[in-house]
Every structure is written in C-alpha cells, then in structure tokens.
Amino acid sequence: MYFFEWGAWEASLIPEEERKKDARTQKLRKKICTYESDEEEGMAAAKLRASETPKSRGPVYVFNNRILEIRSGMFEEKRGLISIVSATIIFLIINGFIGITAGTIWTTDYYYSEGAIATGYLWMAIGLTILTLPTTWFYLKYCLRFTRLEMFTSRHLLIRFNRITQQVYLHRPSYCGGIVTLPWEGVTSSGSADKYAVAGGIGVPLALCWSPPFTGTLRTEVAWVGKSANHQGEIRDEWEFIRRFMDEGPEGLPRPRITSHFPWPWQAFTPQFEGVTHYFRNASKLIKVGLVLISPAFLIIGTGHWLSLLLCWKPRWPKIIRQAGMPGKPVPPLTTLADYPPHIQQRLRENAHLWAVRPGQRPEKKPRKVSRIRKADPKPS
C-alpha cells in the first residue's frame, strides 16, 4: 500500500487556499518545525554505532559489494484492502458490459429471426447501460487513483543504497514523487538513538529522513525501510546494518536472505504478522482465542494482498542507476527541482516554507505556570 507516500506527496503540492482551511494541519505544522540544531544532532547521531548486532530483516532483493536494495514503504501489511474493493468494482463493471453486449446481441438476433423486438432483452440492455456507464465514469474519475495505490503499478517501493557513489535511490510511482536520487550524507534515522524512535519502534519500519538542504526539491524526503518492527532493538539493528554497509563496507556483516521479486503467495500472507509477533507471543489466552476467531480476516486481506502483487509489475530502475558505481559508468545526478514539470515546481516553491529548516537552535521550552485558585476561607459559624 502506497497510501502514506501518496499522502506525503499530495501534502507537498496542496494549494495554499486549501491548506488554510484546515486549522488543525496549520497547528500541527507549527509543532513539528525543525531547527538547524536538530538537524546537526540527528546527522551526528547517524554516524555513531547504534547496535552491536547489525541485521537486516529484509526483504532484501540485492546485496553485494556495490549495492544494497531493500523493500520500502509504510503499511505493507495492510496491503489488500483496497485491492479487494477495487477487484469487486471492476468485476461488476466488466459483468455490466458483458450483460449490455449480450442483451444487444440477443435483441438483434431475435428481431431478425422472429421479426419482433424482444422487450425483455432490450430492457435488460438499457437497464445495465444506465447502471454501468455512470458507475464506470465515477470509478475512472474518482476511484482509480486509489486502486493504483495497490494495483496496476510497481509491485513494491524500493530503496537502493550504493556505497560506491555514496547515494541512495528511492523507487516510487510518479504519483508518489517518482524516482529520487539522494546523497548518503545528510541522512537522519529513527534507529540512530531512542530519542528519534517513531512509536517506540513498535509496528513501524525504520524511517530515514533527508531535510530540504539535502534533497534539492524544497521538501523533506522520508523513506520507510524494511519490515515493521516489534521493538526499537530491531530498528537499531536494521539501521546499523545499513550504516556499516555504506560507511565501512559489507565485510563482517551477516549475509541477508535474498528475496525474489516473483509474487509468491507467502510474500502476501506473512506481512500480515509484521510487527505484531511479540504481541501475539505475550498475549493472554483470551486474546489468543479472539485472534483465532478473526483469523479468516487475515486470510481475506492476504488474498487481496496476493491479488495486488499479481496485478502489478516488477519495478525497474533507470539504466544510469542500474550501472551506478560500475567502473567507467557515470554517477547519477542528484534529484533537483528542475527534474519535475513546471506546474509541480511551482507548487513545491509555494509550499517550501512548510518544510524549511529554521536557523539556529531550538528555543528552550518555558515551564508552564500552573495557576491555582485559592479556595475562600470558610465563614465562621
């Protein structure tokens, strides 16, 4: 599911008029503003050793002396819900057109053979036309964009680390920001220290972040790497594996299991349990019984997940990125604002202040003054 990445990209392009209407978003922006001191601390922490047991839980697609490629994206374990709804709508639309075609053919054949109009077939064709055509128009105009978050698109979001060029590449569909080339220098990580952990590392993947001074696109780039974690220790191990690969090389790192891009069924069902195995293991007997009772729901979502994988295609990198780091091959240029169409550039410029890093240090929080109303002394009896 590419819902998170799609939402982040849409938030970067939202017009100012629409943004001002949402007062809640405005307040949230003020709270999450970043200062230069925050960036310096985050980058410094990203250069330190975070774990003594580096390990990638994957899925890893490529691992050699030059590149490390891992699955990326948030909410992979929830992929399948949109696919089930979309497949149902598409199935009904296809059957509608089949019914229209069949009704028209039967009406025509009956007229030529009997010399009369078969009103039953005719009304069936007219009724299905009235239902199917508006439904198809509504789906293509308003719903197809959501279907493409799971179907008819790249099978996975990918992140590729190239230790020779010291670059990081994000593979995303164009409606989620497209393929981006970022510098390794400037990255901050949710696994570098506990203070940067997201949700305590429970149920979320490793998060990597690049601020606007390093992205060249006037917006912050965030990548979610690998599987959802059960605790912060798994996040630290994943990050340390990546950090050592980029800074020190693959020597001494445990070789990860390489995953195929082919959509095997277990690649759709196992993600349903990412980030929750620790919870299952320590759950009470009552909760375990409840989980057994709702297990058909996991089966349904897993089936939708597999359907989405089957109806997607293997992501393919541009030639310059595939050859990056090879002897005599050019180094891919970093992504800049000029790589986007003019109307996208204009929107990113207009919203650049939302992601800008403020100069100086973050001001210290002032202690809250708690005012207590003194109760009136009781009157003497």
Side-chain angles (χ1 to χ4, degrees):
M1 179 184 283
Y2 305 161
F3 187 82
F4 187 92
E5 287 75 14
W6 172 74
W9 177 245
E10 289 294 315
S12 302
L13 306 179
I14 187 170
E16 185 177 2
E17 296 76 16
E18 295 184 17
R19 191 176 61 251
K20 287 182 177 180
K21 294 178 182 178
D22 193 346
R24 183 179 179 183
T25 303
Q26 293 286 79
K27 293 180 180 179
L28 182 61
R29 292 289 184 199
K30 294 179 180 180
K31 290 183 179 180
I32 62 175
C33 60
T34 305
Y35 288 81
E36 287 181 347
S37 60
D38 301 329
E39 286 294 305
E40 293 172 358
E41 291 177 6
M43 289 188 293
K47 296 179 181 179
L48 303 177
R49 178 168 294 194
S51 171
E52 298 299 329
T53 55
K55 179 183 178 182
S56 177
R57 300 188 306 128
V60 176
Y61 299 106
V62 182
F63 178 75
N64 54 41
N65 291 329
R66 183 170 59 95
I67 59 176
L68 166 65
E69 184 174 289
I70 310 177
R71 190 191 78 195
S72 182
M74 176 69 93
F75 302 137
E76 179 75 13
E77 70 279 5
K78 295 178 176 58
R79 181 173 182 167
L81 293 172
I82 295 177
S83 299
I84 294 172
V85 176
S86 299
T88 303
I89 296 174
I90 294 172
F91 175 78
L92 294 175
I93 290 175
I94 292 174
N95 277 273
F97 279 106
I98 292 174
I100 294 171
T101 305
T104 304
I105 294 174
W106 294 339
T107 302
T108 305
D109 289 346
Y110 189 85
Y111 179 79
Y112 281 109
S113 62
E114 302 294 336
I117 298 176
T119 55
Y121 295 149
L122 180 61
W123 281 113
M124 182 187 76
I126 294 174
L128 287 175
T129 301
I130 294 174
L131 292 174
T132 304
L133 292 183
T135 302
T136 304
W137 174 84
F138 183 86
Y139 172 73
L140 294 177
K141 185 173 180 64
Y142 296 105
C143 302
L144 182 61
R145 69 185 70 178
F146 298 104
T147 296
R148 296 203 67 207
L149 298 178
E150 293 186 359
M151 300 163 62
F152 314 129
T153 185
S154 297
R155 188 166 292 142
H156 291 295
L157 300 179
L158 300 177
I159 182 167
R160 173 174 287 201
F161 302 89
N162 191 314
R163 59 177 298 268
I164 305 300
T165 63
Q166 287 293 288
Q167 291 177 330
V168 181
Y169 313 105
L170 304 182
H171 194 295
R172 302 173 302 196
S174 58
Y175 51 84
C176 294
I179 297 175
V180 176
T181 300
L182 299 165
W184 172 247
E185 181 69 23
V187 65
T188 57
S189 167
S190 64
S192 59
D194 289 341
K195 65 179 293 186
Y196 303 112
V198 180
I202 301 174
V204 295
L206 167 70
L208 304 183
C209 182
W210 288 263
S211 60
F214 298 95
T215 62
T217 57
L218 304 180
R219 67 184 292 265
T220 298
E221 291 284 358
V222 178
W224 301 91
V225 185
K227 297 180 180 180
S228 298
N230 292 286
H231 50 78
Q232 182 63 12
E234 291 181 342
I235 297 289
R236 287 195 297 267
D237 292 344
E238 187 85 45
W239 163 245
E240 182 63 17
F241 185 90
I242 296 171
R243 189 199 67 80
R244 289 196 196 181
F245 175 83
M246 291 296 288
D247 292 343
E248 305 172 16
E251 297 80 10
L253 291 175
R255 183 170 182 80
R257 179 179 176 274
I258 304 301
T259 302
S260 171
H261 277 284
F262 187 82
W264 297 107
W266 53 83
Q267 293 182 0
F269 289 93
T270 54
Q272 313 305 319
F273 305 97
E274 289 180 7
V276 294
T277 54
H278 180 74
Y279 173 76
F280 288 165
R281 194 179 300 115
N282 297 286
S284 64
K285 292 182 179 180
L286 181 61
I287 294 178
K288 289 180 179 178
V289 171
L291 293 173
V292 172
L293 294 176
I294 66 172
S295 58
F298 290 99
L299 180 63
I300 294 173
I301 296 174
T303 303
H305 191 157
W306 191 31
L307 177 66
S308 72
L309 296 180
L310 292 173
L311 294 177
C312 292
W313 50 83
K314 176 183 175 180
R316 183 173 175 82
W317 295 98
K319 184 177 180 180
I320 190 172
I321 293 180
R322 295 198 307 269
Q323 297 180 345
M326 294 181 177
K329 299 301 180 181
V331 176
L334 299 176
T335 301
T336 63
L337 199 64
D339 296 322
Y340 294 105
H343 68 284
I344 298 295
Q345 295 182 31
Q346 181 63 25
R347 287 286 181 84
L348 291 174
R349 288 193 185 97
E350 292 174 355
N351 294 334
H353 65 282
L354 300 175
W355 325 105
V357 178
R358 299 188 180 185
Q361 294 186 348
R362 177 178 292 277
E364 296 182 1
K365 291 184 178 180
K366 297 180 180 180
R368 296 180 62 181
K369 295 181 179 180
V370 180
S371 58
R372 297 182 179 179
I373 302 176
R374 186 178 178 181
K375 295 182 179 180
D377 295 334
K379 294 181 180 181
S381 56

